[in-house]
Amino acid sequence: LESCPSGYSVYPPAGDEFDETTQRCEPCLKGEECRGDVCRVCTACEPGYYKTFVGVAECSACPANTYRVESGATELSACLPCQTKASTRGETGQSSRDACDCDDDYYAEVGLEEPACVKCPKAALCEADGVCLLRGWPESRLNCSDGSGLVGAWALDNITGRYDLESCPSGHELITTEEAGSEELQECKACSEELEYILEPDRDSCQKCPPGLTCTGTDVVEAVVAGSVWNRSGSIYVLESCPSGYSVYPPAGDEFDETTQRCEPCLKGEECRGDVCRVCTACEPGYYKTFVGVAECSACPANTYRVESGATELSACLPCQTKASTRGETGQSSRDACDCDDDYYAEVGLEEPACVKCPKAALCEADGVCLLRGWPESRLNCSDGSGLVGAWALDNITGRYDLESCPSGHELITTEEAGSEELQECKACSEELEYILEPDRDSCQKCPPGLTCTGTDVVEAVVAGSVWNRSGSIYVLESCPSGFSVYP
């Protein structure tokens, strides 16, 4: 027997003792085949194939998603299944475990004898394609269909054969396995471009953008209020100061919330005038502010004043009393700034003194200035050099001055006599036509023909030797010299 057809071997086989009486074609055994048209010897099924029976059929390919490394398999079970989440992509007759390709959203452990398929971490998975970019990385650097690639720096753990995310680029928060609680959830989480910022991607988390900043999702920010100063503190930006007209929010003393930080314009009745502001302060006495804004407080207008701080309305600037002004000055903080008109003086010692019309006797005719202004501390004189006539006394109840006595040659005109404070005066008696004995009691008397008068109590008899005596408020002619008679 020279040869047999496909599926058979020559018996007895070469090498055995030849016995012509036993020659025959024998079908190939289990795990063997002969595929040629002319066969002499059956050979073991190739790796990736098996044959479970004695017969002339060829070996069968191991099914898809299995493989067989050794030759001569006699059972289907000799075809080993691929690891979980791996397949041969529909191919049969595979002779190596390397033919088991992990599903698109998985990658194979690296450097292990029997690598498992690992679920792709969220950050390495193409959303549109569902393909894991760690497949064959770093030798094959895959990109997603949209052109994006692997984000972050990944390092191989040589013990586990798996990749760990170690660092992230600017604008991303590093979520590690430990933080996420799963390898699948590790990622470089992109911070929201408008709503968040991050200082150190490998250390910090995405921070909510406070109202005082315009954020980009990275550590690059811009202050909403120009001139405000923001400093890094740990993982956040801290508002240190604001420009003029603003205060730092939240204010010192309140619970700090970094997500609410901003420069707030000063409230009504408040201001901050410095170039660097942290706190708005109340408007100073004499000033007010009616709106929320960065402007400074406004000065109370001329002829008004404000004693307390923090005024929020113009009406808080109180008007000066009647017949008083601030002499054109604004921003006055005391009623004392209200100066009575020149021909008036202020009541003395009262809480809210009125301006009193200057008594006739205390008013400079040429200047129109009242000499009782600030009297007696300031003793004013008129422009002609004359000063206050008479003795004036302060009434501590009314705060006004009363004329109490006059000098020689003057008649005391009191308020009671004149019917008005304004008309009280020391009325000078006419030097040639009148005289007066007691200025504080008497009135000016007409000079009789028998006397030569000086306007005071000093007189001279016209007829030498005539005798004149004082009687009450007048001079009385008692007797005349020889040759004269008393008239009347």
Side-chain angles (χ1 to χ4, degrees), residues 257-278:
D257 181 354
E258 69 275 10
T259 66
T260 64
Q261 295 179 96
R262 59 189 180 271
C263 287
E264 285 206 326
C266 294
L267 300 177
K268 292 169 63 174
E270 294 184 352
E271 67 178 355
C272 184
R273 297 191 179 192
D275 293 335
V276 176
C277 289
R278 287 193 59 81

Side-chain angles (χ1 to χ4, degrees), residues 18 25 163 178 198 220 255 308 350 360 365 436 476 479:
F18 180 72
C25 286
Y163 287 104
E178 292 72 21
I198 188 168
V220 178
E255 184 177 355
E308 295 84 10
L350 302 189
K360 185 177 179 181
E365 291 186 7
I436 187 168
V476 175
S479 63

Side-chain angles (χ1 to χ4, degrees), residues 265-350:
C266 294
L267 300 177
K268 292 169 63 174
E270 294 184 352
E271 67 178 355
C272 184
R273 297 191 179 192
D275 293 335
V276 176
C277 289
R278 287 193 59 81
V279 179
C280 295
T281 56
C283 294
E284 296 177 357
Y287 289 78
Y288 70 97
K289 186 175 160 201
T290 62
F291 56 89
V292 175
V294 300
E296 296 179 355
C297 298
S298 300
C300 286
N303 307 329
T304 66
Y305 67 96
R306 169 73 182 180
V307 177
E308 295 84 10
S309 60
T312 60
E313 300 295 338
L314 175 58
S315 59
C317 299
L318 303 178
C320 289
Q321 65 271 41
T322 304
K323 295 296 180 180
S325 73
T326 60
R327 305 283 175 172
E329 296 295 325
T330 60
Q332 300 304 301
S333 60
S334 169
R335 199 174 191 272
D336 294 341
C338 294
D339 190 24
C340 293
D341 294 350
D342 287 346
D343 56 343
Y344 283 74
Y345 73 93
E347 292 173 334
V348 179
L350 302 189

Side-chain angles (χ1 to χ4, degrees), residues 89-107:
R89 305 281 174 174
E91 297 295 325
T92 60
Q94 300 303 304
S95 60
S96 169
R97 199 175 191 274
D98 293 341
C100 295
D101 190 24
C102 292
D103 294 348
D104 287 346
D105 57 343
Y106 284 74
Y107 74 94

Side-chain angles (χ1 to χ4, degrees), residues 27 49 76 100 135 137 179 184 231 244 300 383 453:
Y49 287 80
L76 173 61
C100 295
R135 295 169 57 83
W137 192 86
E179 292 170 338
E184 300 174 24
N231 291 330
S244 179
C300 286
S383 59
C453 295

Side-chain angles (χ1 to χ4, degrees), residues 150-478:
L150 193 61
V151 178
W154 297 79
L156 177 64
D157 184 329
N158 290 320
I159 296 176
T160 65
R162 301 186 178 195
Y163 287 104
D164 292 321
L165 181 58
E166 292 198 329
S167 67
C168 293
S170 176
H172 294 75
E173 174 185 347
L174 174 61
I175 308 294
T176 64
T177 299
E178 292 72 21
E179 292 170 338
S182 167
E183 289 180 345
E184 300 174 24
L185 298 179
Q186 58 182 328
E187 66 170 320
C188 288
K189 176 187 172 185
C191 300
S192 171
E193 290 188 3
E194 296 182 357
L195 303 179
E196 294 177 318
Y197 69 89
I198 188 168
L199 299 185
E200 295 292 338
D202 299 340
R203 181 197 70 191
D204 303 332
S205 57
C206 296
Q207 302 293 326
K208 182 179 178 182
C209 190
L213 289 176
T214 299
C215 296
T216 62
T218 68
D219 62 343
V220 178
V221 296
E222 184 176 354
V224 172
V225 175
S228 57
V229 177
W230 297 77
N231 291 330
R232 297 184 181 214
S233 178
S235 61
I236 63 171
Y237 280 110
V238 175
L239 176 58
E240 294 295 331
S241 64
C242 297
S244 179
Y246 292 89
S247 65
V248 171
Y249 186 89
D254 283 14
E255 184 177 355
F256 180 71
D257 181 354
E258 69 275 10
T259 66
T260 64
Q261 295 179 96
R262 59 189 180 271
C263 287
E264 285 206 326
C266 294
L267 300 177
K268 292 169 63 174
E270 294 184 352
E271 67 178 355
C272 184
R273 297 191 179 192
D275 293 335
V276 176
C277 289
R278 287 193 59 81
V279 179
C280 295
T281 56
C283 294
E284 296 177 357
Y287 289 78
Y288 70 97
K289 186 175 160 201
T290 62
F291 56 89
V292 175
V294 300
E296 296 179 355
C297 298
S298 300
C300 286
N303 307 329
T304 66
Y305 67 96
R306 169 73 182 180
V307 177
E308 295 84 10
S309 60
T312 60
E313 300 295 338
L314 175 58
S315 59
C317 299
L318 303 178
C320 289
Q321 65 271 41
T322 304
K323 295 296 180 180
S325 73
T326 60
R327 305 283 175 172
E329 296 295 325
T330 60
Q332 300 304 301
S333 60
S334 169
R335 199 174 191 272
D336 294 341
C338 294
D339 190 24
C340 293
D341 294 350
D342 287 346
D343 56 343
Y344 283 74
Y345 73 93
E347 292 173 334
V348 179
L350 302 189
E351 187 172 345
E352 294 187 357
C355 290
V356 183
K357 182 68 175 176
C358 192
K360 185 177 179 181
L363 187 66
C364 296
E365 291 186 7
D367 310 341
V369 176
C370 184
L371 297 178
L372 290 174
R373 294 168 58 83
W375 194 85
E377 288 77 13
S378 59
R379 295 182 177 272
L380 302 177
N381 285 323
C382 299
S383 59
D384 60 7
S386 59
L388 193 61
V389 177
W392 296 79
L394 176 65
D395 185 329
N396 290 321
I397 296 176
T398 65
R400 302 185 177 195
Y401 287 104
D402 293 321
L403 181 58
E404 291 196 332
S405 65
C406 292
S408 176
H410 293 75
E411 175 185 346
L412 174 62
I413 308 296
T414 65
T415 299
E416 291 75 17
E417 292 170 339
S420 169
E421 290 179 345
E422 299 175 24
L423 299 178
Q424 59 182 327
E425 66 172 319
C426 287
K427 177 185 173 185
C429 299
S430 174
E431 291 186 4
E432 296 182 354
L433 302 178
E434 292 178 320
Y435 69 89
I436 187 168
L437 299 184
E438 293 293 337
D440 298 340
R441 182 195 68 189
D442 303 337
S443 58
C444 295
Q445 301 295 322
K446 183 179 180 181
C447 190
L451 289 176
T452 300
C453 295
T454 62
T456 68
D457 62 344
V458 177
V459 296
E460 185 178 351
V462 173
V463 177
S466 58
V467 177
W468 297 78
N469 290 329
R470 297 183 181 215
S471 177
S473 61
I474 62 172
Y475 279 109
V476 175
L477 178 58
E478 294 293 332

